Amino acid sequence: MTDTDRPKIGRDEGGTAVAPDKPKTKKPPLYKVVMHNDDYTPMEFVVEVLMTYFTHDRDKAVQIMLTVHTRGKAVAGTYTAQIAETKVQMVNDHARAHQHPLLCTMEEA
C-alpha cells in the first residue's frame, strides 16, 4: 500500500491521531401504507389483515380499522419503498382471494 492509498489521519491540537469523519449516509425515503374504506369488507377481516401483515396487536388493529371506517382511510404502517410496495401487493392479493374489495395504497410519508 502506498502513501496515497492510505486514509489520511490528522492530528488534533494535543497531538493525538484523529481519523477523518465517515461520510454521512442518507436514510431512504419512507412511504405510508394506507388502507381505504369500502362498504363491503367486514371489519373483522380488516382487523385480521392489520394483525397479520402489519403486526399490530388487536387493540391497535381495531383502532386503525375504526379510523378507516369513520374517516375513509388510515395509515397501517410506514416503510421503505420496497417493503411498502410488497405489503400493498400482499394485502390487495389477500383481499381479492377472499373476494373483498379492501384497497391498500402507498404514498410518500
Side-chain angles (χ1 to χ4, degrees), residues 2-40:
T2 66
D3 285 339
T4 57
D5 294 334
R6 290 190 180 122
K8 302 284 186 216
I9 297 178
R11 300 223 175 249
D12 69 5
E13 292 178 18
T16 306
V18 178
D21 289 339
K22 291 184 179 181
K24 303 270 185 202
T25 55
K26 190 175 177 184
K27 291 186 178 185
L30 296 177
Y31 293 83
K32 298 183 278 189
V33 176
V34 180
M35 297 187 88
H36 299 269
N37 190 39
D38 64 74
D39 293 333
Y40 303 101

Side-chain angles (χ1 to χ4, degrees), residues 7-70:
K8 302 284 186 216
I9 297 178
R11 300 223 175 249
D12 69 5
E13 292 178 18
T16 306
V18 178
D21 289 339
K22 291 184 179 181
K24 303 270 185 202
T25 55
K26 190 175 177 184
K27 291 186 178 185
L30 296 177
Y31 293 83
K32 298 183 278 189
V33 176
V34 180
M35 297 187 88
H36 299 269
N37 190 39
D38 64 74
D39 293 333
Y40 303 101
T41 304
M43 292 179 178
E44 190 56 38
F45 183 82
V46 176
V47 170
E48 177 229 317
V49 165
L50 288 162
M51 291 171 63
T52 302
Y53 293 98
F54 300 97
T55 64
H56 292 300
D57 63 31
R58 183 160 196 76
D59 290 340
K60 182 68 175 176
V62 168
Q63 180 185 9
I64 294 169
M65 176 274 298
L66 289 172
T67 302
V68 171
H69 182 69
T70 58

